[in-house]
Amino acid sequence: MEAHVIPLHQVVRLEGDRIVIERLSLSDPTLAAFLGERPAGDRGPLVERALRIGLIALQDAGVTVNVDAVRTEFERMIRQAEQVNDRAAQALEQTLRANFADGDGRLPRTLERFLGDRGALRSMVDELFDEKKRDSAIGRMGTMLERYFDGDASKLAVLLDPTRLNSPMHQFREEIAAGFKALETKLATIEAAAAARGAERARSAAKGADFEDLLEGMLGDVARGAGDLLDRTGTEAGAVLKSKKGDFVLTIDPNVARGCDLRVVVEAKDRPMSTRAIRDELRNARENRGAAVAVAVFTPMHAPAGIAPFSVVAGDVYCVIDPEAPDAATLEAAIRLARLLAIATLAEREVAVDAVAIGAALTAIREQLEIVRQLKAQLTSISNASKGVLDGLDAMRAGILARVTEAESEIRAASA
């Protein structure tokens, strides 16, 4: 940059706030080339802006800046910073090496002291889990487990030993033994009762007789009370060729039937049969014995479900009699019900029978039978209510007999 050459004819003057420079000449090839690259119209404003910027810079600096001195000072500061950085790097390296160097560093030595093969952690683990030392953790655990689980003298063995007086298993054993003792007593009572019933039956008039023999005596009592005629026909052929169907034939009192030969056939069933086979056999028995109604008397073991103590099925009467504890009232109610059903089948008769009254009696009987069935169901499912159900059965049985008596009274009144 060359010094300004001020011609003599150039004058720089101030006019108020304005700076006036006339014919300023500046010799600088670089700046001339830079300005030459600009359009002619932009050169004046660009030179004016450059002069303004230069004067502002000189005004802010206040003094002439020595560029070489600034460069020298800056380079000195850089060298000092580099020296400081080198010393810091060396100090950091020494610190890192002292703390983290392999083998000699504080951290490796500390880790080795605690985690090495002979470190504190290994010693502590060996101390805690040495099985040979009884005071180690694993040794104390083994001792405690031995005290609870090892040998006949362990606490678990004491708790599970049923022979020790205060052990829970001893109490459980006593309760189980008491339960079996009570069960044994109950079974002995049941066996004794069964033996007593067998002995009583052996001493009774039915000694050596079968189910039909038992029914013959009971049916005879019912027939005598009603004025009917009872015949045991199980070994005699009937109206059907070579057929012996029908174990008993009950001929109803002619005074009730006005001379009509009205019969009720009775079948004793002490063997298992299907429902269809029972219906077929009762139909054949009615045909073979010329009966209007059939009565099937079952033992409890072979009776169809839901008919105890008796029921009306397809126009016939089903009845259940226990050979070991025969209930005469049940059989009497079933036979008297069959007599009413037989009288109701008369198509032509000289007597004027009140069909409405008989129908009402039969309806009431069926209602009583339904109540009996419900009570029997309660008897089988609720053991603790057995006494109340049995009392209810007795009451229902009495009600049924009363209804049968009412129907028979209607018949007698009509025939009088």
Side-chain angles (χ1 to χ4, degrees), residues 227-345:
D228 300 333
L229 179 62
L230 177 67
D231 294 316
R232 185 169 181 175
T233 57
T235 58
E236 302 175 3
V240 179
L241 183 62
K242 295 183 180 181
S243 176
K244 297 182 180 180
K245 298 293 184 182
D247 297 324
F248 301 94
V249 174
L250 186 69
T251 303
I252 298 177
D253 185 2
N255 294 326
V256 177
R258 280 292 187 170
C260 295
D261 188 11
L262 195 59
R263 300 178 180 178
V264 174
V265 64
V266 180
E267 279 282 343
K269 296 300 174 189
D270 58 350
R271 57 187 177 87
M273 293 182 66
S274 65
T275 304
R276 182 175 180 179
I278 293 171
R279 289 199 302 266
D280 292 342
E281 187 159 343
L282 293 181
R283 183 181 64 252
N284 295 334
R286 289 197 306 270
E287 182 181 356
N288 189 41
R289 301 303 176 183
V293 177
V295 178
V297 183
F298 299 91
T299 59
M301 184 180 299
H302 305 115
I307 69 166
F310 57 84
S311 181
V312 178
V313 180
D316 295 323
V317 179
Y318 289 9
C319 178
V320 179
I321 296 297
D322 187 357
E324 296 185 0
D327 188 355
T330 299
L331 182 62
E332 180 182 358
I335 296 301
R336 291 173 67 176
L337 177 59
R339 291 174 80 254
L340 286 177
L341 294 174
I343 293 173
T345 61

Side-chain angles (χ1 to χ4, degrees), residues 10-159:
Q10 183 179 2
V11 178
V12 178
R13 67 180 184 271
L14 295 175
E15 294 180 357
D17 293 334
R18 296 178 63 196
I19 300 174
V20 179
I21 302 174
E22 294 180 359
R23 296 180 183 181
L24 174 64
S25 177
L26 178 64
S27 178
D28 191 327
T30 302
L31 296 178
F34 170 74
L35 189 62
E37 294 176 355
R38 301 292 177 175
D42 294 340
R43 293 172 183 172
L46 181 60
V47 171
E48 181 181 359
R49 188 165 61 254
L51 181 60
R52 188 186 301 275
I53 293 173
L55 290 176
I56 292 172
L58 291 175
Q59 181 183 7
D60 291 340
V63 293
T64 303
V65 179
N66 191 338
V67 177
D68 294 335
V70 172
R71 181 182 295 111
T72 302
E73 184 66 21
F74 185 73
E75 290 177 352
R76 187 180 65 79
M77 290 176 62
I78 290 176
R79 287 194 299 271
Q80 289 179 354
E82 289 177 351
Q83 293 174 1
V84 171
N85 289 338
D86 291 341
R87 288 196 299 271
Q90 292 175 1
L92 178 62
E93 182 180 0
Q94 292 175 0
T95 301
L96 292 176
R97 188 178 301 277
N99 287 283
F100 299 102
D102 294 339
D104 298 333
R106 291 189 182 90
L107 180 61
R109 291 199 304 272
T110 302
L111 294 177
E112 180 67 21
R113 187 166 64 254
F114 281 95
L115 303 179
D117 294 338
R118 298 181 180 179
L121 180 61
R122 181 62 179 269
S123 301
M124 182 177 63
V125 171
D126 292 341
E127 181 72 18
L128 289 175
F129 297 100
D130 189 356
E131 297 181 356
K132 298 179 181 179
K133 295 182 179 180
R134 297 187 63 85
D135 58 345
S136 66
I138 193 68
R140 289 195 295 269
M141 290 176 61
T143 303
M144 181 180 65
L145 292 176
E146 289 177 0
R147 185 167 64 253
Y148 278 92
F149 299 104
D150 189 17
D152 295 338
S154 65
K155 291 188 176 182
L156 181 62
V158 172
L159 292 175

